[in-house]
Amino acid sequence: GSPYISPYNDIDVVAGQGTIAKEILEDMPDVDAILVAVGGGGLIAGIGAYVKAVKPSVKVIGCQPAASQVMAQSIAAGEIRDFPQTDTLSDGTAGGIEAGSITFDLCKQYVDEWVMVSEETIVKAVKFMVEFHQQIVEGAAGVALGAYIDQPQRFAGQNVAIVICGGRIGLDKLRTILA
């Protein structure tokens, strides 16, 4: 059979996701902060590693649903742990982290801050994308955007990039959000 490749716990996957940071810095050389949804940490590990190598002054901000903040809690604890979680609209960031995951140390090294986002704010963010950009995004994309929506004063006067990741959302979940 085919080999299993983790969607986040793989150095080549992390490196590939770091190319997003290269594009951000090319398009926004004066960027001050980048907001990224975090589950297992592959996306933000790649983005953070590139940004900190090229322009270390940029703040890399990890965004997690308040209902599933395993990476942020593990970083605070100093080790990967299982923490209680509840259901979240952000399927792409829900769940635990594999023991020994390479992303843990990368997140510890490259993520400057963590923001937790409520389910209500995730709903607002997904609706915002539909209403103002005619884009259907999944809950994970709503997490990073939600961090900005919740705290606009925090980012006032800054050039902020928000990574909008993922458009895989089921029709039933989308109906619930848009109701």
Side-chain angles (χ1 to χ4, degrees):
S2 299
Y4 171 75
I5 298 173
S6 173
Y8 67 91
N9 188 20
D10 181 277
I11 196 65
D12 292 326
V13 170
V14 170
Q17 293 172 334
T19 63
I20 294 168
K22 182 179 186 306
E23 291 182 39
I24 290 170
L25 292 178
E26 286 172 356
D27 290 345
M28 294 178 66
D30 57 348
V31 67
D32 298 305
I34 303 174
L35 280 68
V36 185
V38 179
L43 181 62
I44 199 166
I47 289 171
Y50 186 86
V51 165
K52 295 304 181 180
V54 175
K55 191 174 180 190
S57 63
V58 175
K59 293 285 184 199
V60 177
I61 302 175
C63 308
Q64 292 199 283
S68 183
Q69 44 186 295
V70 177
M71 182 61 84
Q73 289 176 322
S74 291
I75 297 291
E79 63 184 3
I80 297 172
R81 289 192 189 166
D82 247 349
F83 287 95
Q85 305 169 58
T86 55
D87 289 340
T88 178
L89 294 168
S90 180
D91 299 342
T93 62
I97 308 158
E98 295 173 41
S101 176
I102 62 169
T103 58
F104 176 77
D105 286 332
L106 294 171
C107 286
K108 191 164 51 170
Q109 183 174 355
Y110 298 124
V111 178
D112 294 302
E113 301 173 32
W114 294 93
V115 176
M116 300 310 129
V117 181
S118 71
E119 294 302 299
E120 296 77 23
T121 302
I122 295 170
V123 167
K124 277 194 253 182
V126 171
K127 284 183 176 180
F128 176 88
M129 289 300 294
V130 171
E131 184 176 353
F132 295 101
H133 296 282
Q134 293 74 51
Q135 295 288 317
I136 295 175
V137 298
E138 66 184 62
V143 172
L145 179 57
Y148 184 86
I149 287 172
D150 252 3
Q151 302 178 31
Q153 72 288 350
R154 176 181 181 178
F155 302 106
Q158 295 183 50
N159 294 307
V160 179
I162 304 168
V163 178
I164 304 295
C165 59
R168 291 178 41 111
I169 187 167
L171 192 54
D172 289 341
K173 190 172 284 190
L174 186 59
R175 280 189 188 119
T176 300
I177 288 172
L178 296 177

